[in-house]
Amino acid sequence: MVMFSLKRGGGGGSAGKSAYELAVEEGFEGSLEDWLESLKGEKGDPGDKGDPGEKGDPGDKGDPGEKGEPGDKGQPGADGFPTEEQWNDLVERVVELESPDTEE
C-alpha cells in the first residue's frame, strides 16, 4: 500500500516573471502595449445564430398615416319611412300646392 501525505500551501516563494518579460527574453522587441496588441488575433468566423429573445414591451403609438382615397360607392339603401313631423310637413306643403290661389 502506498501512502501520500498532502500539505496545504506552498510556502513563500519569490515572484515569477510576467508573460511580457518572458516574451522579451524570447526575442520580442517592443513595449508592453505593443506586446498586448500582438496578442489580438485575426477576426474569427461568425458564430451560430442565437435563440430568440423574450418579447419586448409595446412601443409608443405612431403618428397617424396619410388620408386614404375615397372608397367605392355603396349599394342603395332600403326606402325609409319619414317621421311623423316630416310626414305632417309634407302633407302641409302638398295641400298648399293643390289649393287654389286666393290672392287676386
Side-chain angles (χ1 to χ4, degrees), residues 51-76:
D51 294 332
E54 294 181 22
K55 183 174 181 179
D57 294 333
D60 295 334
K61 183 175 180 182
D63 294 333
E66 295 180 19
K67 184 174 181 177
E69 296 292 323
D72 295 335
K73 183 174 181 179
Q75 297 292 329

Side-chain angles (χ1 to χ4, degrees), residues 15-32 34-36 38-39:
K17 294 180 181 178
S18 71
Y20 170 70
E21 291 169 330
L22 292 172
V24 169
E25 282 183 8
E26 293 294 321
F28 181 80
E29 295 179 3
S31 68
L32 174 60
D34 293 336
W35 180 73
L36 290 172
S38 75
L39 297 178

Side-chain angles (χ1 to χ4, degrees), residues 23-100:
V24 169
E25 282 183 8
E26 293 294 321
F28 181 80
E29 295 179 3
S31 68
L32 174 60
E33 289 79 19
D34 293 336
W35 180 73
L36 290 172
E37 187 64 31
S38 75
L39 297 178
K40 183 177 179 184
E42 294 181 22
K43 184 173 174 97
D45 295 332
D48 295 335
K49 183 173 180 173
D51 294 332
E54 294 181 22
K55 183 174 181 179
D57 294 333
D60 295 334
K61 183 175 180 182
D63 294 333
E66 295 180 19
K67 184 174 181 177
E69 296 292 323
D72 295 335
K73 183 174 181 179
Q75 297 292 329
D79 291 338
F81 293 96
T83 64
E84 183 177 351
E85 182 179 334
Q86 291 171 328
W87 179 256
N88 291 338
D89 183 55
L90 179 63
V91 169
E92 192 175 305
R93 285 189 283 158
V94 169
V95 168
E96 286 179 20
L97 290 172
E98 292 180 349
S99 298

